[in-house]
Each structure stands twice: as structure tokens, then as C-alpha cells.
Amino acid sequence: MPGPCNSKRKKKAKKNKKNTSTIQATALPEPPPPVNELEPPPSDIVCTAHEPPPKLPAPHVQELHEEVLPIIHDPGNGPRVRDVRGFLASFFAQPPSLEDPLCAEFSQEEVLQMLCTVLSQETAIVLWYNKSRATSRICPSCRRLYRLGDILPDLTDDGENHISETRSPLLAREQEISGLCSPVCFIVASFEYPSAIKTTWGRTADEIDDFTWDLLNGPGDGQGDKGLSLLLKMARLPDLGLGQLCLPDIDFDAEPEDRIYCRQNYDRDKFSY
């Protein structure tokens, strides 16, 4: 009788060995050993700490006015010039009318310098601008910017709703002579001489009687109009009164012969010192 057989045990052992090898084959591979990270080489560059920008002082009110506010603004009844010096350097300003001999004469820089000796700078620039431009005007009183021939709204709260289609001939003359744009602005400019308002309105020097000139040459009422009354008188003279300002010893109202005699005496006295 044959002995016990171990064939079943061997088959079972082979089966277990096969399962073990399958498990080992499907197992995840072990991660590679860690690699030391490379450090950057040392550098000579020094990184400074971040500093906030310096705190600038707040601008002065006048600087804020010149930098922020526009040169021209329109309150509803026509554009106004805020900054006369800035306007003169901007493209809004019309160039001098050099084709007109009188405007070309007034457009010289020396004329403006002489006007600044008797008027404030802004008032002198306005007078100089009006006399050196044929049609463009800046009102010396309200600083309205306009052109001769424009139909302007009234200087009231609802002025844009009250535009007169007809203009007084004296108003047109006054706009050409002094640049004052309306009767209201003319009254403001002549407030020092209330008795001469009617006889000065729209008239030049040769159209004003002697009594009115005596009033205009008087001390006035002392209201303080910032040079508008002086501009009112200078604008009526053909040379803006600069002849009397530069040559005070010459009588420009005298006859030509007497004027030459006065000029000779003036030159003789000038060189005698």
C-alpha cells in the first residue's frame, strides 16, 4: 500500500507563493531618497527696506487756484476769464491784429510795461489786450470774453433768457473803446464819477466836453475801484495817456508849434543835468 502523498500540500504552497509574488509585484515603489536642495550663491546686493514716499505739504490757496481751476468758466451768461495771465498764454487768446497799424503799435511789449507802472498787472493786461486786438475783448469789470458785434446776455441771474436783438450805438462804441461789455459794467467802472456817467458813455476824448474832463480828472468819490476809473479815462485817449506819462513836461493839447518848443525845452533841460 502506497504511503501518504504530499501533492496537495505542494500545490497549495505553490499557489500561496504565486499570490505573494503577485502582491509584491503590484505594490507601489518606495519614494526615492530626498535630495538636498541647492542654495543660491551669496550676493553683494543689499535690499533696502521699503520706505513710504515723503509727505508733501498742502498747496497754498493761490497755487490751488492757478493749478486746478480752469482759465475760463461760464456762469451761464457768457464765458469769463479767471486768470488773465494764464489766458494770455493760452490758445484762447487771439493774436495781436498786426494788420491794423494802431493795434500793431499797441501790441509792443514796451506799451504793456508802461501800463503796468500806473495800473495793476491784470488791469494793464486787459487794457493792453483790448487795444491790440481788432475784435476780441475782455471786459475790464466782469472779465467776460466776447467779440465786437456779439449779442450778449444781460448780467442777471436769468440773463440767458433776456437777450436783446438790438444794441445801442453807444454800447457798441463803448465796447470798442474800453471793452466794457454792458451798461452795468460801465457804471461800475465810472462809480467814482457818477456825474460824468452819461456824458462819458460811448465817447472818446475829443467827444467829451471840458466840464466832463474836469470831473474825470478830479479826486472822485474815493470808492476804490481797483483802477477801473483810471482805465476808463486812459482808454478814451488816442495814445492811452502814455505820452503824458513818459513826457510830462510837454503839453499835448497845445498847438504843434508850441508842442515842438516844449519838446526842445524838455530835451535841453534833460541834458543839462
Side-chain angles (χ1 to χ4, degrees), residues 13-245:
K14 289 181 179 180
K15 188 176 181 180
N16 293 336
K17 186 176 181 181
K18 185 177 181 180
N19 292 338
T20 305
S21 63
T22 304
I23 293 172
Q24 291 177 356
T26 58
L28 296 176
E30 295 181 1
V35 180
N36 294 332
E37 297 181 357
L38 298 177
E39 297 182 358
S43 175
D44 296 335
I45 301 176
V46 179
C47 296
T48 59
H50 174 70
E51 297 181 359
K55 192 173 182 180
L56 300 177
H60 193 264
V61 176
Q62 183 65 24
E63 297 176 358
L64 185 65
H65 173 81
E66 294 179 356
E67 296 178 3
V68 178
L69 296 180
I71 297 174
I72 296 177
H73 78 114
D74 191 348
N77 52 9
R80 301 292 197 279
V81 177
R82 285 184 183 269
D83 183 4
V84 177
R85 288 171 291 179
F87 167 80
L88 199 62
S90 69
F91 64 90
F92 294 107
Q94 295 293 322
S97 303
L98 301 180
E99 67 279 0
D100 188 312
L102 191 59
C103 292
E105 189 72 21
F106 285 131
S107 66
Q108 298 180 21
E109 192 71 23
E110 293 79 8
V111 175
L112 177 59
Q113 294 175 0
M114 287 188 289
L115 290 175
C116 290
T117 61
V118 293
L119 296 170
S120 64
Q121 187 179 39
E122 290 194 350
T123 305
I125 292 176
V126 170
L127 178 58
W128 178 77
Y129 181 87
N130 292 340
K131 287 299 184 179
S132 58
R133 273 69 176 175
T135 58
S136 183
R137 292 292 185 272
I138 302 174
C139 179
S141 180
C142 71
R143 303 294 171 85
R144 176 155 56 181
L145 179 64
Y146 67 99
R147 296 175 66 90
L148 296 180
D150 290 348
I151 304 299
L152 304 177
D154 294 336
L155 294 177
T156 57
D157 293 337
D158 55 349
E160 63 274 9
N161 299 325
H162 296 81
I163 300 178
S164 177
E165 296 296 334
T166 59
R167 295 190 308 159
S168 167
L170 293 178
L171 173 60
R173 288 289 310 280
E174 189 60 42
Q175 291 177 350
E176 182 180 359
I177 294 170
S178 66
L180 294 165
C181 66
S182 65
V184 174
C185 290
F186 180 82
I187 292 174
V188 172
S190 58
F191 200 71
E192 286 273 342
Y193 312 99
S195 301
I197 291 178
K198 290 184 178 181
T199 53
T200 307
W201 167 250
R203 296 175 175 84
T204 57
D206 55 350
E207 298 171 337
I208 298 176
D209 57 81
D210 295 338
F211 177 75
T212 302
W213 268 120
D214 291 338
L215 293 175
L216 294 176
N217 292 328
D221 290 347
Q223 301 294 332
D225 55 3
K226 298 181 180 180
L228 286 178
S229 59
L230 182 56
L231 179 144
L232 187 76
K233 294 185 292 184
M234 295 178 67
R236 271 140 240 292
L237 298 169
D239 63 343
L240 302 180
L242 296 178
Q244 297 178 359
L245 177 66

Side-chain angles (χ1 to χ4, degrees), residues 3-13:
C5 181
N6 294 331
S7 59
K8 293 183 179 180
R9 184 177 296 177
K10 290 181 179 180
K11 290 181 179 180
K12 187 175 182 180

